[in-house]
């Protein structure tokens, strides 16, 4: 065949011609405009894939080889300009199909091997299968039934790539059969990446909306009940005051009327306002509908196997079995690499000149900006753009942040109370009084010497800032605050459900996950040797038992690892304290406790941040090997494991300081040792509460600053920079692709994929634990959480709007398992705060001394009462200080903090009666505090209704109005039927009243009396 030879082949009769025909046709490089116009008048334009082979259709066209030799330069733009002035502008740069009318609802992305000679070589297409096909470029898909011309060698057959290609062909053909319209684009700036644009036509949207039982607004509108009297005036005043902090979006304005909503039905379309069909289903709803179709549409064939011989036979059996029990939906195809990504498009650009107004740009200006941190969130617009599930997360985060305001104010008051009364605190004044001359026993063996209690004056004064009577009140307040917060959120959730038409919504069983179906397929193949048909297989507990065992062992191992790391930090503290004690500088010896505490907490913080990332990956792996059936089951199991591991990781060091440090020390002369060499560390004379406060504050602030904010800002920026450098390197290799303007789906493809809300919820739940669990030791925790959340809301908003691909909208009426976790933390917080006040602080010993031992009813003598005496001659051999004269005088008796008998007693160093009196008071306080606060929390839960009264009235009103609408419709039908019967009756009487002659002369008129068609 000559180089310049012209071939004739058959053109599909339904193929469209015109400016945008290149998305439908592969075999021609250009067409004159007059031929386009002539064919357009004679043929019906088909907007979908051409699914029939070309040989079966009846029009011949000319396929021109060697265009450059005929006189057309392929590298010039005159050819494209003859078809369209700017096709990218017509389709709004990827938001629409190339016809500029059909909106892109979803994008499928795949990788293909692009031939380097593909732009100069011309190929012949053999349509040898009936699967759906569409391409944007004028050449066919790479490797898709292509026969190369002379001079090009036969390429190496890649069975793996061909298998993926044939799966895509079958899957896309099934999508077309489901009613979707597809358009392919491989002529992009991203090398080797193809895009399939998906559009759902009106009839598909209606059908799927009916299947999904989507509530849509009807024509019927009704008045929302408004408050009257004093409440109305108060609401109007509040609206005027809060007007500057309201976002400037239409969805956020208070509504006076609301459209009645009803599950969409094709038979009742007359009930709905269909005046504007393009906007009736918004972009969020359209993408949800398309995603549902993608999940249930299956692909069961593959052209090639992955191997030869026995491997190919096994895969053939696998494919045959898959047709019976296995399915390949979009999740499976993504997992197997047939498609590399699937996502809906953002509405457009959010920055730049001449950007058309869109919801994304509005969200960026009024929500995802640090400059509007003081404003309310436009939650309705967030829900409209991202869906109910993400809308509920940001609504919950907003409610939580608002509720932190009163908690922060009370915490600041408690802290200021401690600052104001620190000079009036008698115990700290006694500790700081050098005239008391209290000599304390050494803190370590041999290297540590005796020390004066007055040297711990600063620690004692600082402890009073957090360890004062007001902290008990604050603990009770925070327990009631947690209960009020949960009730307030439930009421807010019901309001959102009513506003978003989610009342009566019940989640249906989700589609099985791809991994679950693959596991079921393997199980069925193992039973294939029995040669008998069985019912559909499913995984039982026996199949999952190895995974359950691995989960149990893995979690126990991870918890043990956390304990081991905390134990290692304890060894570091003990050894570092002993090393600093022999320091020659006085400042080094005096600041041993502060230095050891600060460095140990920093080590704990670094370890916690590292293990958080490790535990997140391990929790996901443990959940994957369990093979949960649905995405919801997978998410719940993942959340439980990740929360358990991260909770243990974050709070184990704090639990140690709060409840274990200083409890198992022993006494001078009989200390408890680790590995026979390290003595257990003691609390400061003022108690361990100050150290607990330092530990809690550093870990909480460090996690929020480094993990939550720095990582969330820095890592996405770094990934974006890496992608930019890769694209820049590719652009330098392909200048022609660099000159094109990116389409919307290309820009979105370069964004980070949405990884779910679990990380966002997890960091807030851990923070909620810091705020509530140990709030008795750190009253400023709510304040720091509030400051963090103000930044966190805008940071997450900016990430969702600008850094992530648009997630698929998911309907949800609550926050799921997170609510149960919050309630559990709230209950646990009551118990932990009771133990912190009772055992960690000196609140109970002070009360016992004040009411049982004080001679004058004051706290004078409290410090001396809490200290026991020890005769230095009773030290064990080799444990006495090396320098007993370090204080300048010989020490005979040293003091240590404990309730024990003095050395001159008959039962010297035994536990005294005072210890048992204090212990009994501590346990009694725990019981009373826990039950009292629990009762008050339950009372708050009971007294506040879950559903606001006005919302329950509106829901009832909607039901009544809907019944009225259907009753009127039925009455209208009955009236029409009766009218038709009356007309028929009158017509029959008129015909019967005709004379016989008239009837005979008009023989056809009688029959015609009963032949009128009925048009209802």
């Amino acid at each position: 065949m000559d180089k310049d030879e012209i071939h004739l082949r058959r053109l599909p009769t339904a193929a469209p011609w015109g400016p945008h025909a290149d998305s439908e046709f592969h075999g021609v490089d250009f067409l004159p405009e007059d031929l386009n116009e002539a064919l357009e008048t004679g043929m019906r334009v088909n907007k979908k894939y051409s699914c029939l082979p070309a040989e079966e259709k009846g029009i011949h066209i000319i396929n021109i080889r060697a265009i450059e030799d005929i006189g057309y330069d392929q590298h010039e733009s005159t050819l494209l300009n003859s078809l369209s002035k700017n096709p990218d502008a017509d389709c709004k740069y990827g938001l629409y199909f190339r016809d500029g009318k059909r909106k892109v609802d979803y994008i499928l992305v795949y990788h293909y091997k692009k031939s380097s000679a593909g732009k100069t070589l011309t190929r012949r297409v053999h349509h040898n299968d009936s699967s759906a096909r569409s391409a944007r470029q004028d050449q066919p898909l790479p490797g898709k039934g292509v026969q190369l011309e002379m001079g090009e060698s036969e390429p190496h057959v890649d069975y793996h790539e061909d298998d993926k290609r044939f799966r895509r062909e079958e899957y896309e053909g099934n999508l077309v059969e489901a009613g979707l319209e597809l358009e392919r684009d491989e002529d992009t700036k991203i090398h080797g990446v193809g895009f399939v644009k998906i559009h759902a036509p009106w009839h598909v949207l209606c059908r799927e909306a009916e299947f999904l039982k989507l509530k849509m607004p009807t024509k019927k509108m009704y008045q929302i009940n408004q408050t009257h009297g004093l409440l109305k005036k108060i609401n109007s005043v509040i609206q005027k005051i809060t007007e500057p902090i309201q976002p400037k979006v239409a969805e956020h304005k208070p509504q006076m009327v609301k459209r009645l909503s009803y599950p969409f039905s094709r038979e009742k379309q007359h009930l709905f306002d269909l005046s504007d069909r393009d906007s009736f289903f918004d972009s969020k709803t359209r993408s949800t509908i398309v995603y549902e179709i993608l999940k249930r549409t299956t692909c069961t064939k593959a052209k090639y196997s992955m191997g030869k011989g026995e491997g190919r036979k096994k895969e053939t059996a696998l494919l045959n079995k898959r047709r019976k029990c296995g399915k390949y939906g979009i999740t499976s195809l993504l997992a197997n690499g047939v498609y590399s990504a699937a996502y809906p498009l953002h509405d457009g650009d959010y920055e730049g000149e001449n950007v058309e107004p869109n919801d994304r740009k509005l969200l960026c200006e009024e929500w995802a900006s640090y400059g509007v941190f003081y404003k309310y969130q436009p939650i309705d617009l967030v829900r409209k753009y991202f869906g109910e599930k993400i809308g509920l997360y940001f609504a919950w985060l907003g409610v939580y942040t608002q509720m932190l305001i009163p908690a922060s104010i009370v915490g600041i008051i408690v802290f200021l109370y401690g600052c104001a009364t620190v000079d009036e605190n008698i115990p700290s004044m006694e500790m700081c009084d050098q005239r008391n001359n209290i000599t304390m026993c050494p803190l370590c063996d041999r290297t540590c010497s005796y020390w004066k209690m007055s040297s711990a004056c600063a620690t004692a004064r600082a402890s009073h800032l957090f360890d004062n009577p007001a902290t008990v009140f604050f603990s009770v307040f925070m327990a009631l605050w947690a209960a009020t917060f949960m009730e307030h959120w439930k009421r807010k959730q019901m309001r959102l459900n009513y506003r978003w038409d989610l009342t009566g919504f019940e989640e249906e069983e989700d589609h099985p996950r791809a991994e679950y179906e693959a596991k079921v397929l393997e199980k069925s193949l193992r039973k294939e040797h029995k040669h008998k048909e069985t019912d559909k297989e499913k995984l039982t507990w026996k199949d999952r038992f190895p995974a359950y065992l691995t989960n149990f062992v893995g979690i126990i191992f991870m918890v043990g690892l956390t304990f081991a790391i905390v134990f290692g930090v304890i060894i570091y503290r003990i050894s570092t304290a002993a090393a600093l004690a022999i320091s020659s500088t006085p400042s080094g010896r005096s600041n041993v406790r502060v230095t050891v505490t600060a460095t140990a907490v920093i080590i704990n913080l670094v370890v916690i941040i590292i293990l958080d990332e490790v535990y997140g990956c391990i929790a996901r792996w443990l959940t994957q090997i369990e093979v949960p059936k649905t995405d919801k089951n997978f998410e719940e199991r993942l959340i439980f494991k990740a929360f358990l591991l991260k909770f243990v990781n974050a709070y184990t060091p704090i639990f140690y300081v709060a409840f274990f440090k200083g409890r198992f020390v022993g006494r001078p002369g009989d200390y408890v040792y680790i590995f026979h060499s390290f003595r257990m560390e003691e609390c400061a004379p003022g108690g361990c509460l100050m150290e607990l406060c330092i530990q809690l504050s550093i870990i909480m602030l460090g996690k929020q600053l480094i993990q939550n904010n720095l990582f969330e800002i820095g890592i996405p920026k770094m990934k974006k920079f890496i992608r930019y450098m890769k694209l820049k390197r590719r652009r330098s290799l392909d200048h022609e692709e660099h000159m094109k303007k990116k389409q919307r789906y290309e820009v979105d493809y370069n964004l980070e994929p949405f990884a779910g809300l679990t990380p966002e919820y997890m960091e807030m739940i851990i923070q909620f634990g810091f705020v509530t669990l140990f709030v008795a030791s750190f009253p400023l925790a709510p304040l720091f959480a509030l400051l963090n959340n103000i930044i966190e809301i805008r940071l997450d908003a900016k990430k969702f709007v600008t850094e992530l691909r648009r997630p698929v909208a998911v309907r949800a009426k609550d926050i799921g398992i997170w609510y149960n976790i919050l309630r559990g933390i709230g209950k646990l917080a009551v118990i932990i705060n009771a133990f912190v006040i009772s055992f960690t602080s000196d609140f109970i010993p002070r009360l016992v001394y004040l009411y049982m031992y004080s001679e004058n009813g004051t706290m004078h003598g409290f410090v001396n009462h809490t200290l026991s005496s020890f005769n230095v001659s009773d030290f064990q051999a080799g444990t006495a200080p090396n320098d007993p004269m370090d204080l300048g005088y010989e020490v005979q008796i040293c003091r240590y903090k404990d309730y024990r008998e003095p050395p001159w007693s008959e039962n010297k160093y035994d536990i005294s009666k005072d210890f048992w009196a204090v212990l009994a008071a501590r346990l009694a306080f725990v019981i009373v505090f826990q039950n009292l606060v629990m009762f008050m929390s339950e009372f708050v839960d009971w007294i506040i209704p879950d559903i606001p009264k006005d919302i329950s009235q509106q829901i009832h009103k909607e039901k009544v109005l809907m019944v009225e609408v259907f009753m009127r419709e039925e009455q209208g039908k009955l009236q029409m039927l009766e009218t038709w019967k009356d007309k028929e009756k009158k017509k029959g009487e008129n015909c019967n009243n005709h004379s016989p002659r008239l009837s005979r002369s008009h023989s056809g008129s009688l029959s015609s009396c009963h032949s009128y068609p009925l048009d209802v």
Side-chain angles (χ1 to χ4, degrees), residues 784-803:
F784 289 112
L786 173 64
L787 297 176
N788 173 80
N789 287 4
I790 291 174
I791 301 173
E792 181 73 21
I793 290 175
R794 307 303 163 180
L795 182 65
D796 284 348
K798 197 171 186 66
K799 181 171 67 173
F800 273 83
V801 174
T802 65
E803 301 287 344

Side-chain angles (χ1 to χ4, degrees), residues 400-618:
Y400 172 46
T401 304
Q402 288 177 3
M403 289 293 293
L404 282 172
I405 296 175
S408 302
I409 293 173
V410 177
I412 293 173
I413 293 173
V414 170
F415 178 74
L416 293 178
Y417 172 81
C419 294
T421 58
V422 66
D423 292 330
E424 301 173 4
N425 183 38
I426 296 175
S428 62
M429 292 170 61
E430 288 183 347
M431 290 181 64
C432 295
D433 190 358
Q434 297 184 2
R435 294 173 299 177
N436 290 333
N437 197 26
I438 300 177
T439 303
M440 303 297 293
C441 294
L443 296 175
C444 60
D445 293 342
R446 294 187 300 276
T447 56
C448 298
S449 185
Y450 305 105
W451 56 285
K452 290 283 191 180
M453 175 173 275
S454 58
S455 64
C457 176
T459 305
R461 290 174 62 86
S463 297
H464 180 72
L465 301 178
F466 306 101
D467 187 5
N468 57 69
T471 57
V472 179
F473 159 76
F474 190 56
S475 299
V476 176
F477 171 81
M478 287 303 295
L480 298 179
W481 173 88
T484 306
F485 163 59
M486 301 305 296
E487 291 304 309
H488 178 47
W489 167 243
K490 282 197 290 187
R491 291 169 63 84
K492 177 70 172 180
Q493 196 169 251
M494 285 305 303
R495 289 188 182 276
L496 294 176
N497 285 342
Y498 165 72
R499 228 157 65 197
W500 296 348
D501 298 322
L502 292 172
T503 53
F505 167 71
E506 295 293 339
E507 294 184 7
E508 298 179 357
E509 186 176 357
D510 202 357
H511 298 277
R513 296 174 63 250
E515 293 81 358
Y516 179 84
E517 291 184 336
K519 209 72 175 177
V520 170
L521 179 61
E522 291 179 9
K523 182 179 179 181
S524 61
L525 287 175
R526 285 197 298 267
K527 295 184 177 180
E528 194 178 26
H529 66 278
K530 297 181 180 179
H531 301 291
K532 62 179 181 178
E533 291 294 329
T534 59
D535 295 334
K536 186 175 181 180
E537 295 289 345
K538 64 179 181 180
L539 298 184
T540 62
W541 70 270
K542 293 182 180 179
D543 301 317
R544 292 192 173 105
F545 180 75
Y548 289 154
L549 184 61
T550 305
N551 270 260
F552 178 76
V553 174
I555 291 175
I556 295 298
F557 175 76
M558 292 298 116
V559 172
L561 176 64
T562 304
F563 290 163
I565 291 174
V566 172
F567 184 74
V569 174
I570 294 171
I571 299 297
Y572 161 81
R573 293 162 67 109
I574 297 172
S575 57
T576 306
L580 291 176
I582 60 175
S583 173
S584 59
T585 60
S587 60
R589 289 196 298 268
S590 62
N591 296 322
V592 168
R593 195 179 297 275
V594 176
T595 304
V596 170
T597 300
T599 55
V601 172
I602 292 173
I603 293 173
N604 275 327
L605 174 62
V606 173
V607 170
I608 286 171
I609 291 175
I610 294 174
L611 287 184
D612 257 357
E613 303 301 321
V614 174
Y615 286 169
C617 298
I618 290 175

